[in-house]
Amino acid sequence: AEEERLALRIVPHPPPVSVKIKEDNFSKAFLLPPFAVNNKRSEYVACFLPNLKVLYGDVSDTRFHADEQQVNLGPDCFGVRQTQKRFRAVRTETCKFCDRYKPWNE
């Protein structure tokens, strides 16, 4: 008889959010550093975009959706207004254990 063991890891996090560009006519647009879902990085710089409205978040797990929030960070040292768009995965339907999900940065 053969015996096989499999490691099981329970991850109490919501699925990661993929950041994408809504429209195809921004072929020169990119993120620095390049976006990677496996990367735990949480801050990127959007280059060659007219505004942050064309960025959206996508979640592969259908039980979740990407919630977005745009935050005004105030002026930088040159007086230019800095805006940040934040994404997080949120459960589409409420559940009794939803408050137990930990953010990815914890």
Side-chain angles (χ1 to χ4, degrees):
E2 282 188 32
E3 184 178 305
E4 186 174 342
R5 294 181 185 201
L6 298 174
L8 176 64
R9 180 177 174 207
I10 297 174
V11 180
H13 299 287
V17 177
S18 297
V19 179
K20 298 182 178 181
I21 299 172
K22 287 181 185 177
E23 301 172 22
D24 291 334
N25 55 348
F26 298 110
S27 60
K28 292 182 180 181
F30 60 93
L31 297 175
L32 281 178
F35 180 79
V37 107
N38 296 331
N39 188 351
K40 301 281 190 229
R41 184 177 182 88
S42 62
E43 293 189 14
Y44 296 86
V45 175
C47 302
F48 294 108
L49 289 177
N51 55 53
L52 296 179
K53 292 178 184 177
V54 296
L55 288 178
Y56 72 98
D58 186 38
V59 182
S60 60
D61 189 331
T62 57
R63 297 171 297 170
F64 293 83
H65 68 276
D67 187 36
E68 61 184 56
Q69 177 185 19
Q70 197 156 323
V71 179
N72 182 8
L73 301 176
D76 64 7
C77 57
F78 297 108
V80 178
R81 183 174 63 101
Q82 298 296 302
T83 305
Q84 188 178 66
K85 196 166 193 179
R86 298 175 182 173
F87 300 98
R88 64 185 184 116
V90 178
R91 208 42 207 240
T92 301
E93 296 177 13
T94 59
C95 61
K96 61 183 176 184
F97 54 85
C98 288
D99 60 337
R100 295 188 182 138
Y101 286 120
K102 297 178 184 174
W104 280 99
N105 60 354
E106 289 184 4

